[in-house]
Every structure is written in C-alpha cells, then in structure tokens.
Amino acid sequence: MKTFEYARPSSLDEAIELLGEDWGQTEVLAGGTDLVTAMKQRITTPDRVVSLQDIEELRGVSEEDGALRIGAMTPIGPFMRDSRVREHFPALSTAMEGMAAPQVYSRATIGGNLCQRPRCWYFRLGYGLLAQDNGRVMTEDGENRYHAIFGNDGAARFVHPSGLAPGFIALNAEIHLLGPDGARSMAMEDFFRIPSADGERETALAPNEVVTHVTVPLNGKRNATYEVRDRGSLNWPLTAAAVAFSLNNGVAEDVRIVLGHVAPTPWDAPEAAEALEGAAPDEETAIACGNAAVEGATPLSRNGYKTQLVRTSVKRAILAAAQQA
Amino acid sequence: MPEAAAWPPQDERSVLGKKIPRLDGPDKVTGRAKYAFDINRPDMLYAKVLGAKHAAATVTEFDPSEAEAMEGVEAIWVQPDIDGKTIHYSGQVLAAVAAVTEEIAEEALHRIHVAYELRDPVTDDTTPEHGGNVDEDVRGSIEDVEQAFEDADVVSSGHYGCATITHCCLEPHGHVAEFRDGDLHIWASTQNVSRYGQGLTDTAELPQDRIHVICEHMGGGFGSKLGDDIWGRAAVHLAKVTGKPVKLLLDRDLEQQIAGSRPSSHADVEIALNNDGEILAWRSHDWGSGGQGGYNRPHLPYTLSNLSPAVMRTQRVATNRGSARAWRAPLHPNGCLITMAALEDAAAAIGMDALEFFLNHVVDLTNNAEAYREELPIAAEMISYQDKAHLRGDETPGPVKRGLGIALHQWGGMGHNSNADVTIHPDGSVEVACGTQDLGTGSRTVLAIVVGETLGLPVDRVHPKIGRNAYPISGASGGSTTIGGISAASRLAAVAARDALFERVAPELGVEPGELEARDGRVQEQGNPENGMSWEEACGVLGVDSLTERGECVPPQAAQAGLISAGAAGCQIADVSVDVETGVVKLNEFVCVQDCGLIVSMETARSQVFGGMIMGVSYALYEEAIYDPVNGVMLNPDLEFYRLASMAEVGDLKVHMMTGPRYDERGVIGLGEPPVIGPGAAISNAIANACGVRVGMMPMTPDRVIQALAEGGKLA
Amino acid sequence: MANDEAKRPGVEGLSRRTFLKSVGAGSVGAGLLPRGGESGAAQAAEAPAVVGPGETSITLSINGETREVSVEPRVTLLDALRNRLDLTGSKKVCDEGTCGACTVLYDGEPAYACSILAMEAEGHEITTVEGLGTPDELSAVQECFVKHDALQCGFCTPGFVVACTAYLRENPEPTPEEAQRGLGGNYCRCGTYAGMREAVLDAARILRGGE
C-alpha cells in the first residue's frame, strides 16, 4: 500500500470535511473488506483514509415512515439476521446468505456492498476499469468468462459485484447520501452508472460524499433472489436475478426484475417483468420471463453460457417468490 | 540386514498401525508451530520480490535508484544480466528489495523503474498448433493398430483435457536467512531439508557444513518445494550484504505465477472395441504445456500397460507461463482423466454398465488386475452402486441429474534412501533424529510409532527430531517416498539400539541378549516376564553414556527385508448431481478403496487419502490457472479466482484401506500421491453418466458444462 | 501549533483539522480511543485527529493484554500481529480477505485480520489463536482438531480453529451442512475437511456440555 493519512471522525460532518473533492485524494473506510485489498492492489492510492466506524448514527436497522431504514455502516451479518429483513425482504437476506463467510458478514457493510469496486481481473491487475492494454480492449478478445452480457457496448465490460443492489432496486429502495452541500436521495437504480472513462466510478457518489442509509418501502410485495453459485462457500455468483411483485387473485402485478453480475450496473430487465405482469407466476410463465430477460443479451467471446444462467435465475427467482406464503 | 528388523506380526503390535493422534497437533492448533514464514529475528529485514509485468519481453531499462534512495531500504538484489534479460513469463524474478519493514519493501518495488520491449507470447495450448515435434510411441505396429480399428464393431472417440493448475501452497516459497558467527542459518519452507543448503554455497560463500537448515514445520509443498530457488539465493545475498537476517517469502501473486504448476493436457483419443466390450486398440494424440518446458506424455493409456496394439503421439507446447514443477503424482491425474474418460465413453458407446466394463474388459489389461478386482466391488458396495447405477444419461425428470463415475489409479511409492539415529539415554528417554521433514504427512508421528513399537514404549516416550540438515541425511519428500524411507530407517536404528541395550542388560538378568524382549515399558525375558526390569532401570545399566545406533534405509535391501515395497493400486467412485439448467455440479458421495501395504499410522494415513481425494475434487471442479489469451499474463494469481474447494463442496467422503494379510506383508508403501490421481476422472465420468454428455475439459465449471450440454443437444 | 500541524508533510489541498490540546506529545492516538471508553465521550467532542502517514503509537487489546505498537496507517492488523508483536499464529496466505488463514476474533466475531487496518482495531478486543489455548491446555475446539486429525501441514489450521470457535459460540447445535457453510470463509489445501467436519461436530457436542 502507498502511505496515507488516517482519520477516525466521530460525526458525519467531520467525516465529510475530511474528504477531498477529487477521486484519488481520499477514500471512505467502512468495513474494509474491499478497500484494504483495493489499496494493496493499488487500484486506489488515496492520500487519506477516513474511517466511519465511530459514527454510530450510520448503524442499525429501523422502521421509519412505512419503510425499513438501513444504516450504511450496518454490517451484513446483523442486517441479514434482522427479523424484519428476513420477513419482508428475502430477496436481500438470501443473497447475503449465499456468500457464506462469517468473516465478511461481521465486517462488510451495506454501504460497502453498494460501493465496492468491480472484481474484474483486468481492473484488479492494474489495467484500469476499462481493461485497456496499449489500446487493446482486453475484454474483447481476452478472458471474459465472468464479464458482462448486457450493457457492454461501451468500453466497460466488468460486472457490478453488489449482491444487494438487484434486490434493492427490485424493491424500489432509495439511497441517501450526505455531502458538503447537504443530503440528497435517489432511487437505487440511479445510483449506479456505467463509466466511460478510467477515472470515473461506478456510482453517482461524489468523492466527498458518504452513503448514510438506504430505505426500502414496506409494501408487502413478494420478493426473492436466485443466484447461480457453484460453491457453497465464499465466492461470487455467476449470475443473479431479484424479483418483486404483488400477487392479486393469483396474478402478478407491479413486477420488477433486476439482474446481477451480468452488466456494469445492476441490470433492470423490463421485458422479463412485462412477461410476468398480469400473469400467474407459474412455471410456464417463469420460463417465458427467463427467455424474455435474455432477448437483448450481447455475450462476449467466452460468456455465452451466462444467458442460460440468467434464464434459470429469473425462472427460479419468480417461482421462489410465488411459493412464498 | 538383520532378520529381526522385519515388522512384528500384526497381532503383536502395540502402536504400529494404530490410531495415534498426530504428535505436533497441539502445536499446530494453538498457533505455536513455527513455520519459516513465522520466524522473526532481531533486526530482521523484510524482502520482497519484483516480478516481470509481462509474459514475453526483453528488459530494456532497469533503474532501481529511486527505490535505493528510500529511507528504510537496505539493499537491493538484482538478477544478473538484467539489461537485455529475456522475459519468458509474467512474474519472472527481476530483483528483490530488503527493507526495515514489509510495507517499505513493498513500496520500494513500485519505485523500481523497468522498461520492456514486448514480444508476442505463445498463450494457446488448446491446439497443438504451437507444439513441437511429434513423439510417437507404438505398441505392436501401426499396421496392427489400423487393422484393429478397421475390424472393430465400434470406434469410440473423444477429446479430453485439463487446464494448468498451480500447487498453491498456503505457506509460500521462501525462507529466513541469517549469518551468525560466520555461519548461515536458514529457516526454510522445503521438502528437502537435508539437501537444501547445497545450492546456496556459492551465494553464501560458505562450505556446506556451515550452512544450517531448519524446517520444523512447512505449509505445503506438493512437489514444488524441492529446491532453494532464485529467490532463495536472493535472500541469502541480501542477508550477506546487509549483515542482518532477511525474511523472504513470496507474495501470493508470485507464488501463484512462478512457484510451480501442473501442466495442462489435451488429447484426442480413439478406442476400437467390439460390441461385447472387448477392447482391441488405442490411438491417441496428446499435447500439453508446462510453460517453457516440463511436458512429457502422461502414462497413456493410463494403467493399461497390456493394451496392444496402441499408438500414442505427443507434442509439447512451449507457452509463456511459469514453469511446471512436480505436482503430486506428476501427470498421473492427466493421464488418468484422459484414459478413464475415454474408457467410460467406450462403455457408453456400446451401452454397457461402466462397472461391468471395467471389471470384465479393463482390469485385465493392467498390471494390478487382482487388486482392482478385489477393490472395485468394495467401492461399489460402499457407494450403493447397484441401487444407483444407470446407463449414460439420468432420465429422471427435473433439472438435477445424478450419476456415478469410476477411476482406477496406481503408484510406485517405494521408500527413499534415508538415515535415522535412535539414541537411548541412561535416564530412559529416547530420541530419534532424522533429516527429514513433515509436509503434513505425519513424519514425527511415524518415527515415534516405529521407535515406540520397537522399544515397547508408548509414542509419547519417544522424542522425534526432524527438520534439520544436522540430522542424519534423509531423502526429499517427493513421490510418496518419505514414510517408507523413514519408517525403515528408524526401524533399523531402533532394532540396533534395542539389541545394543539387550547386550548390556542381559548379564544383569542372567540370560542371553537374544532371549530378551522390550515390551510394555519393560525389558524382560521372553516367556518369563518376571525376570525383567522397567525400561528406566534397564537404561540405567548404561551408566553415564547414552547409546546411539544408526539405521540406514537402502531401498533394495529394505525391500528384501520386507520393510518396504512399491506398487499401490486403488479405485474411486464418485456420485454427483448436475443441475442441467445452471451447469452446477455437486458432489454427493465419493469413495476410495486404497491399498498401501503395511500402515504405520492409521490416523495420518487416512488423512492422506482424504486429502488426496479432496485436492482432487478441487482440481476437478474449480482450479484453473487462467491466462490472458493475448498478452499471456496470469489473470488469477490470487485465491479469489484461483478457486480451491472448501468444506462445503467435497461431498460425503468414505475411505476403505486394504489391510491385513496379503497387504500387510508387503511392507510400507507410500500413500501421498495415489488418492489424488483419480478424482478428476471419476468426477468427469460421473458427470457424463448423469447428464448424458461428456464435459471434456477440466475443471468442469458451469460454463463448460453448459457448453457441453448445448453441443450435445441436451440443454433444456 | 495548529499552523505547524497544517504544514506537516501530508496531503495538499485537504483540510487538516487537527487535535489541539490535552494530548501528550507524540500521542496522536487519543482521537482513537475506545468507543464508550470513559474518556471517550470527552475526547470525541474534540476535532478529529488526522494521523500518519508516518508511524503513530497505538494501543491494541490482544488476548486480554494491552499492547503498544507503533504503526503507519497502512499497516494491517495482520502485519501488526505477525511482524510487530510476534503473534504468528495468524497466517498470511491470500492477504486479500478470501482464505481465512488470518482469522481473528474481533470483539468476539470472526474477521480477516489482513483486511483491517491496525489503527481501526484500536478500541476493540482482538483474540488470536494464541489466546484460545495452549498445547498443554487446549480448548475444546483445539482438542477436537487434534483428536480427529483435522490438520495436515497445519498452515490453515489456526484460522480454522478461530473461525470454528466463533461459529460454535453463535451456533451451538449445527447440522453438518450448516457447519460447513459456517466455515465457508476458510480454505485448506491439504484437504483436511473430512477430519474437520468430525472435529466441528464433536466440539459442538462438548461445548454443549456433552462428554
């Protein structure tokens, strides 16, 4: 790691004051499960690291105005074990359970899960977010088996690693940020963006902003996430699908389906949602939704298999939600 | 060699072959066991290695001045002839920095300026396009082979292969080097304690007798830690020029790139057979890559030494990858996969049950027919083969298909040359010293069991001393040779020491030395235990002088004496489920029936077999060194995408050891390699049996399973 | 003094609110006091300290003992333990939060010491494998690892022992399947999982008060 300063403020205002205006100057330290590694890999070489661990108001899960409020510094473990999360948002808790690493549950945070950097090996080896080597786009003819099959027409072909983001988006969650100009909120899907240049980041967060919390409306929608994992231990899913819908007289309404690990952002699949809207969530419809989800897929040279995995993810997520009591 | 050295009869053994807890277990589970990586010395410097960033290049500029000027950097070692140096693989060692902290040493690597002129690397080993000359091996004649293929009812063909994998030792390669009073002390992570110092004499500018190697514990080798390596010499150099101890253990990314790998293999195979299952001929073309060198043909057709006519053509593909090293049972897993998969495909081609095919048409073509014929039914029983078996393709509705797969394996495992000294002290304490090492095999435990058995003492009364080159020379731990070597050497030493003690004690008891026995902590007259004395009293007869006897294991003689032998055979059956909608493979059950002659330490022997099976599951389903197909750089030199199996993925494992008459009398046979050979083949066969198509390439990850299903028209 | 501090070599263009009085010379760590500590509330009211990039003395609570150690902010807890405190039971294997060999208890919960900055650990209770038992006085988990030969080369073993200890405290009655997922954050290369499964379940039984 390059040398850096360290600060451990006890209030949000102090934390924000300690942050720089440009990327590269400072980094916010939450659980450290990604940032510390990223600094070792020199993906980021900040001059100062600002730890949020002493800011108590960033922790905890509470009910507020018909929504569940989740502090950004809430570790994954207490979050996924929270009875309200388990009861109302299985799409979130099951996605985290699949990770299967107590050492991550204890340290990694909700905010960190949303802000973590991509796992793309070209990025991690220092070829940049856009994986360029002397003008060559490495994800084009290189090893892209884990890369994007959607949203990959630009230079960015990594997949967004967040396990929670698809569920949050499917559940119409909002994310809340605080910066020097005050607080702002946005729909979770608007938080993520596809970078078009190397210095950019994958989210709307400004360098001197902090994610404070996430709110998820308690609207009684059924929801589920299905991840294709070939391991029962700490590992990344190959693809994921989160679904949320209301069931009225056996018919699905207000459907939202969001895919994970298939694009540089969590990937909304409106065609799949439309195929379910107004239909009974049975096997036949679920298969049709899976097929609709991959209609626009544009696999790279080595990741065509992911379209099959997306089909299955969507189908199984729908059926899991349908079977909920 | 004294006849009395032969192993005692089974019914007379007190600790030999029993379940004895590993002696160094308590040190390991409490973190007290010190590995090379854990050695901290006063004023010690931390060294880091700079590896090349490119796979094929020439170094045009090398400037360490900025790093040298850093506060805390004490010395930099640079590869000789760095200017114009040819780079053959990413991670190739360029330099090493020693600094007062690990952080500064790491920082300094980034301040060394290196410029390269790039070349085009060879990266593709999936075709023989870049292969060298064809090496052809023919059994019978080419004409016979071709005739057999013409006459055959059926020709079964397939393409099989496995990716490059790494040794992935959890303790990386390296050592701590310290010059003290003119001598060099080395705490090394090595499989070869007795000879580790040999390669360091020039760098240290010392004769071998002044180089002291210490390896109390080591964190995995698997064939990759047999030498001192360029980075080892760099550490010695840095210690010498700074006058301070230097710790140099490779960082994980270099460990994965340069410290050892198993070559890839690819093969096109054809088998000629008749509809009744008779195998007529074999034809194969295989190629593979062990980096710049290191690919020899795996045994093909594996175990089928008596299959003729056959023709095997082999090519070596030199790629810009870190070099291969001996990987636990070198190339046997490759050969086993290619052969067993081709055989199972042949059985499927004629619609025959695989177990029936192996028993009736395969085992007779091997040199282990008797063993396999005994073992296969046991394995089948253990996994309820008859209840679960079906012909290729599970027809059960639903996405999860289940199947069984068989593999046969064999290994030599003759003990190596080894020496051991057994010392009996007048106070009754006993030590056994041997310049061997413990890779996890249980060397200390084995030595204590053998000596304890011989002297009639419990194992905790024997103090095993290993891991120093000051102790009697013992062989490198490679090829499953250690337990044979050290058990024979320590048996011979203990017998000699016991007999020397009997010489001294016999007059006290008024009997001839040959009439004495050491048993249950006593030295006594055979058949008349009242005429005896406690072990301590007997040792007290030695007066003031301890007694030391040397035992020497010279393999042919030790084999002749019945202490050791070679030739282990075993079989494995895997039961898997394949989710044909996701390509995810899950191991349900996995059984191994293993013969290894006389078992010295039942607990650690079983652990070895489980360990081999588990390592096999890992390479069958997850492990793969992945290289960029254009620039050749290794993309997963980490443990995140270089994936090892965890506890949740290895299924329900069962081991059956062939013990008792006919096995026991063969003496000790090494066990480290045999069980790691077959898992890839067994699991590949089980997947084919489950989902009805062959996933030819290993590891059998979801992408490959889905592709095979799509190509086979089996995708839902 | 504030001006002097602002001129310290550090980060240009970043505000540097420093901590003024009540701190002894050289002890910049007072802003890093334990949460909820007696003087913590008073100190927390002060402006935050910015320390580094050079070494700063910090106080860590490890295995029930208070240990002073001087570290740069970039030093990980793992490297502080191994290189500065000679607590080498926690192993460095992947050094990126995947393999579990560096697992310690962090306020009683399992954590990867390689992914925590040493300074972050100030104010928290750290337990390493050395704090769980000794060769002469093994903990139940350690005893069961030996009994079931749940180790070979032993390099991953301390991490597993710590992870298993933490897991069984939270999950005293695991099924075999639950137990292996509960240890999903640790890898072994020698393949000792068969013995480990037996060890975990046996230890669970003993810790529940079984024989």
Side-chain angles (χ1 to χ4, degrees):
Chain A
M1 274 184 263
K2 191 186 80 67
T3 57
F4 52 81
E5 297 175 345
Y6 170 82
R8 191 162 146 181
S10 50
S11 79
L12 264 173
D13 289 343
E14 287 163 11
I16 284 157
E17 194 170 334
L18 285 160
L19 291 171
E21 288 179 11
D22 298 313
W23 286 121
Q25 290 183 307
T26 55
E27 290 284 354
V28 170
L29 175 61
T33 52
D34 184 29
L35 179 65
V36 174
T37 298
M39 292 195 295
K40 287 178 193 174
Q41 294 166 326
R42 298 194 174 227
I43 303 299
T44 179
T45 52
D47 297 317
R48 178 184 293 167
V49 167
V50 179
S51 166
L52 301 184
Q53 72 155 299
D54 285 346
I55 305 175
E56 278 304 315
E57 64 187 283
L58 292 177
R59 280 175 216 275
V61 180
S62 57
E63 272 186 61
E64 200 174 82
D65 302 331
L68 209 59
R69 181 193 193 281
I70 304 143
M73 283 291 285
T74 309
I76 301 285
F79 167 75
M80 74 181 196
R81 289 190 287 267
D82 185 282
S83 59
R84 292 158 296 187
V85 174
R86 298 182 77 82
E87 185 190 341
H88 300 294
F89 306 126
L92 302 174
S93 57
T94 53
M96 292 299 94
E97 280 160 8
M99 203 152 56
Q103 294 95 329
V104 178
Y105 294 149
S106 68
R107 298 289 304 159
T109 63
I110 301 304
N113 184 279
L114 299 170
C115 295
Q116 63 183 313
R117 311 301 308 278
R119 309 308 307 179
C120 165
W121 37 43
Y122 293 112
F123 176 52
R124 295 281 166 173
L125 286 174
Y127 293 102
L129 205 45
L130 306 183
Q132 310 257 351
D133 185 23
N134 290 320
R136 171 184 159 228
V137 180
M138 303 178 86
T139 49
E140 187 78 42
D141 53 2
E143 256 299 353
N144 49 34
R145 66 178 76 176
Y146 297 131
H147 285 78
I149 60 169
F150 292 102
N152 55 6
D153 50 342
R157 273 87 179 262
F158 60 82
V159 295
H160 199 278
S162 172
L164 286 173
F168 275 141
I169 295 171
L171 290 160
N172 296 328
E174 288 204 335
I175 188 165
H176 306 269
L177 319 176
L178 186 71
D181 302 327
R184 62 181 179 129
S185 304
M186 63 186 78
M188 185 65 83
E189 61 265 37
D190 296 332
F191 183 63
F192 300 100
R193 41 187 66 173
I194 301 182
S196 54
D198 238 328
E200 295 179 11
R201 296 241 168 161
E202 311 84 63
T203 67
L205 193 73
N208 53 1
E209 278 184 316
V210 169
V211 178
T212 55
H213 61 287
V214 174
T215 48
V216 198
L218 288 158
N219 56 15
K221 283 166 83 171
R222 289 159 180 268
N223 61 91
T225 295
Y226 188 87
E227 298 174 315
V228 177
R229 292 180 183 266
D230 66 340
R231 305 278 304 272
S233 55
L234 177 59
N235 224 253
W236 299 100
L238 295 165
T239 63
V243 306
F245 56 85
S246 307
L247 200 60
N248 278 333
N249 300 322
V251 166
E253 289 173 356
D254 205 6
V255 182
R256 191 116 195 230
I257 299 180
V258 184
L259 310 177
H261 299 273
V262 295
T265 63
W267 195 253
D268 219 334
E271 303 85 357
E274 202 171 310
L276 181 58
E277 192 75 40
D282 56 17
E283 172 118 12
E284 196 183 332
T285 305
I287 291 171
C289 293
N291 291 336
V294 297
E295 258 169 34
T298 51
L300 302 169
S301 57
R302 295 165 192 246
N303 65 6
Y305 75 99
K306 276 191 163 190
T307 57
Q308 168 62 26
L309 270 50
V310 167
R311 276 189 206 106
T312 306
S313 301
V314 168
K315 179 181 89 168
R316 293 185 183 179
I318 291 171
L319 294 177
Q323 281 155 16
Q324 283 159 11
Chain B
M1 190 155 297
E3 203 177 296
W7 299 112
Q10 273 192 290
D11 54 2
E12 289 179 21
R13 293 172 194 168
S14 60
V15 289
L16 190 69
K18 302 292 191 292
K19 290 186 82 166
I20 306 288
R22 188 183 293 265
L23 295 189
D24 36 20
D27 284 341
K28 288 181 173 177
V29 298
T30 54
R32 265 61 171 191
K34 290 283 183 188
Y35 298 74
F37 209 160
D38 300 334
I39 300 299
N40 289 326
R41 303 290 302 164
D43 291 325
M44 187 177 76
L45 302 176
Y46 296 83
K48 293 272 180 186
V49 172
L50 179 68
K53 294 272 171 278
H54 303 283
T58 305
V59 175
T60 55
E61 225 182 292
F62 185 90
D63 179 8
S65 56
E66 192 189 336
E68 270 164 353
M70 280 174 64
E71 197 182 330
V73 170
E74 301 232 344
I76 299 180
W77 168 88
V78 181
Q79 180 78 263
D81 311 320
I82 188 73
D83 288 319
K85 187 104 194 152
T86 304
I87 303 303
H88 296 289
Y89 49 88
S90 67
Q92 188 176 325
V93 175
L94 301 179
V97 178
V100 294
T101 69
E102 193 171 350
E103 292 76 23
I104 293 173
E106 192 268 343
E107 172 88 38
L109 296 182
H110 294 271
R111 308 255 191 115
I112 296 175
H113 175 71
V114 190
Y116 303 86
E117 187 181 302
L118 301 185
R119 290 179 288 112
D120 284 336
V122 175
T123 62
D124 185 17
D125 64 344
T126 59
T127 73
E129 189 189 333
H130 299 287
N133 295 339
V134 176
D135 163 35
E136 188 171 271
D137 182 13
V138 184
R139 292 182 196 164
S141 70
I142 295 282
E143 293 72 30
D144 291 345
V145 174
E146 281 168 9
Q147 191 61 51
F149 272 91
E150 263 181 41
D151 297 344
D153 292 341
V154 175
V155 172
S156 170
S157 64
H159 180 83
Y160 316 96
C162 52
T164 298
I165 64 172
T166 73
H167 293 70
C168 199
C169 308
L170 294 195
E171 182 186 31
H173 286 61
H175 60 221
V176 174
E178 176 179 2
F179 285 87
R180 198 180 340 125
D181 303 329
D183 283 12
L184 173 61
H185 300 260
I186 290 265
W187 289 264
S189 185
T190 180
Q191 300 177 231
N192 197 1
V193 165
S194 286
R195 293 174 193 81
Y196 193 80
Q198 279 176 10
L200 297 171
T201 53
D202 286 353
T203 313
E205 297 176 62
L206 286 173
Q208 258 179 270
D209 65 308
R210 301 192 64 182
I211 298 177
H212 311 287
V213 180
I214 306 144
C215 176
E216 291 285 342
H217 301 280
M218 61 92 70
F222 314 111
S224 68
K225 288 182 178 168
L226 294 164
D228 48 71
D229 292 310
I230 182 72
W231 51 83
R233 296 192 285 283
V236 169
H237 172 87
L238 289 168
K240 192 167 179 66
V241 298
T242 59
K244 294 179 180 175
V246 169
K247 180 188 280 194
L248 188 159
L249 280 291
L250 293 183
D251 282 344
R252 179 53 45 185
D253 61 336
L254 287 179
E255 177 70 19
Q256 295 298 91
Q257 286 178 87
I258 67 176
S261 61
R262 183 177 84 188
S264 63
S265 278
H266 302 266
D268 293 317
V269 179
E270 293 170 290
I271 293 176
L273 73 166
N274 283 337
N275 284 327
D276 64 3
E278 186 193 1
I279 299 172
L280 305 174
W282 167 283
R283 193 153 60 191
S284 63
H285 175 198
D286 73 289
W287 63 93
S289 182
Q292 291 288 293
Y295 185 79
N296 300 309
R297 177 168 55 238
H299 299 233
L300 288 179
Y302 182 71
T303 71
L304 302 186
S305 308
N306 307 317
L307 169 54
S308 181
V311 58
M312 288 72 70
R313 300 188 176 95
T314 298
Q315 285 176 276
R316 183 172 71 87
V317 183
T319 52
N320 290 92
R321 299 177 180 176
S323 293
R325 295 182 175 198
W327 194 104
R328 201 171 181 180
L331 285 166
H332 277 54
N334 308 38
C336 185
L337 169 76
I338 292 165
T339 305
M340 299 300 149
L343 290 170
E344 204 270 352
D345 280 352
I350 57 169
M352 185 178 283
D353 171 73
L355 181 61
E356 183 189 342
F357 182 70
F358 273 81
L359 278 170
N360 294 338
H361 303 286
V362 173
V363 300
D364 281 328
L365 298 172
T366 75
N367 289 330
N368 311 306
E370 199 186 335
Y372 292 142
R373 204 168 282 123
E374 190 170 358
E375 290 170 348
L376 273 169
I378 296 172
E381 178 74 28
M382 286 164 74
I383 205 160
S384 307
Y385 188 94
Q386 298 305 342
D387 299 338
K388 297 177 184 169
H390 56 75
L391 294 178
R392 178 166 287 195
D394 180 1
E395 303 297 335
T396 315
V400 178
K401 309 296 184 190
R402 196 161 174 172
L404 298 170
I406 300 171
L408 307 176
H409 63 261
Q410 63 179 28
W411 187 255
M414 176 71 87
H416 56 206
N417 285 81
S418 185
N419 298 276
D421 281 354
V422 168
T423 299
I424 299 173
H425 294 289
D427 67 352
S429 59
V430 175
E431 60 189 75
V432 50
C434 178
T436 187
Q437 49 279 322
D438 190 348
L439 276 58
T441 319
S443 304
R444 281 187 180 82
T445 313
V446 161
L447 287 169
I449 286 174
V450 170
V451 175
E453 177 69 42
T454 308
L455 303 182
L457 297 171
V459 289
D460 60 8
R461 297 288 306 277
V462 180
H463 179 199
K465 295 161 76 175
I466 65 166
R468 286 172 194 258
N469 66 343
Y471 298 148
I473 293 173
S474 188
S477 289
S480 303
T481 56
T482 304
I483 298 304
I486 68 172
S487 62
S490 56
R491 172 69 176 171
L492 291 165
V495 166
R498 180 194 66 194
D499 291 351
L501 181 68
F502 286 174
E503 291 278 347
R504 305 285 295 275
V505 172
E508 307 281 329
L509 295 173
V511 294
E512 290 299 312
E515 292 173 298
L516 290 176
E517 64 179 2
R519 174 186 288 271
D520 304 330
R522 288 174 59 79
V523 175
Q524 61 199 24
E525 186 182 351
Q526 291 169 31
N528 181 23
E530 283 75 42
N531 184 28
M533 50 178 89
S534 73
W535 174 258
E536 287 74 16
E537 286 171 320
C539 295
V541 173
L542 293 173
V544 294
D545 292 324
S546 303
L547 172 169
T548 298
E549 292 290 338
R550 167 73 48 99
E552 185 180 3
C553 172
V554 179
Q557 283 103 298
Q560 215 162 15
L563 290 174
I564 58 175
S565 69
C571 69
Q572 299 181 334
I573 305 182
D575 167 356
V576 308
S577 290
V578 183
D579 184 333
V580 296
E581 293 181 355
T582 62
V584 173
V585 177
K586 178 171 168 280
L587 197 65
N588 301 314
E589 281 185 69
F590 190 26
V591 302
C592 178
V593 178
Q594 185 62 50
D595 132 44
C596 69
L598 181 147
I599 292 169
V600 180
S601 165
M602 183 56 88
E603 192 74 40
T604 55
R606 278 165 45 85
S607 290
Q608 283 270 73
V609 180
F610 280 125
M613 294 167 76
I614 290 167
M615 209 170 186
V617 174
S618 189
Y619 74 62
L621 296 179
Y622 309 114
E623 289 181 48
E624 177 176 7
I626 299 171
Y627 302 87
D628 182 76
V630 178
N631 77 8
V633 168
M634 186 175 177
L635 299 175
N636 59 343
D638 51 49
L639 289 181
E640 180 180 356
F641 290 106
Y642 189 88
R643 309 187 313 152
L644 298 178
S646 85
M647 198 191 293
E649 288 115 26
V650 298
D652 185 10
L653 303 155
K654 294 196 185 96
V655 171
H656 177 87
M657 307 292 276
M658 302 298 284
T659 54
R662 290 194 299 115
Y663 292 93
D664 191 86
E665 63 220 31
R666 300 172 65 196
V668 180
I669 307 172
L671 190 54
E673 340 274 307
V676 86
I677 295 168
I683 293 169
S684 179
N685 284 344
I687 292 171
N689 182 245
C691 64
V693 295
R694 171 67 56 183
V695 182
M697 274 301 290
M698 195 163 73
M700 292 154 289
T701 45
D703 52 334
R704 295 194 172 98
V705 175
I706 292 292
Q707 192 185 340
L709 287 165
E711 286 169 2
K714 299 270 184 185
L715 201 57
Chain C
M1 184 176 170
N3 283 341
D4 288 349
E5 287 283 295
K7 281 181 204 155
R8 262 170 48 171
V11 183
E12 282 180 36
L14 291 181
S15 69
R16 185 175 182 102
R17 287 180 60 179
T18 49
F19 173 68
L20 304 175
K21 318 161 277 280
S22 78
V23 185
S27 167
V28 209
L32 312 179
L33 281 172
R35 282 185 287 129
E38 265 184 54
S39 53
Q43 301 282 7
E46 300 282 346
V50 176
V51 298
E55 289 196 357
T56 300
S57 180
I58 60 170
T59 305
L60 297 178
S61 172
I62 301 169
N63 300 331
E65 288 177 32
T66 301
R67 305 285 300 263
E68 290 272 330
V69 60
S70 185
V71 293
E72 299 171 312
R74 63 174 162 173
V75 173
T76 62
L77 176 59
L78 178 63
D79 288 339
L81 292 171
R82 291 181 53 81
N83 296 351
R84 289 158 180 87
L85 298 167
D86 201 30
L87 286 165
T88 56
S90 311
K91 305 301 185 200
K92 189 171 190 165
V93 174
C94 77
D95 204 28
E96 61 166 29
T98 302
C99 74
C102 66
T103 302
V104 297
L105 298 182
Y106 192 91
D107 292 332
E109 294 199 70
Y112 294 134
C114 73
S115 302
I116 298 174
L117 299 178
M119 286 188 171
E120 285 279 279
E122 204 171 29
H124 299 273
E125 291 291 331
I126 309 301
T127 306
T128 68
V129 69
E130 288 94 341
L132 296 179
T134 65
D136 295 327
E137 210 166 321
L138 299 176
S139 72
V141 170
Q142 289 168 328
E143 198 181 307
C144 289
F145 267 62
V146 176
K147 180 176 156 197
H148 297 281
D149 206 37
L151 61 143
Q152 287 188 37
C153 86
F155 208 68
C156 72
T157 309
F160 266 104
V161 165
V162 177
C164 182
T165 302
Y167 179 75
L168 292 179
R169 282 182 190 168
E170 292 296 314
N171 306 274
E173 264 182 282
T175 65
E177 290 70 28
E178 287 165 353
Q180 51 196 41
R181 286 176 62 78
L183 294 175
N186 292 68
Y187 291 133
C188 165
R189 181 49 158 165
C190 300
T192 60
Y193 300 136
M196 250 187 246
R197 283 174 178 161
E198 294 170 13
V200 177
L201 297 177
D202 198 12
R205 195 179 50 77
I206 291 170
L207 290 168
R208 288 197 305 268
E211 288 168 15

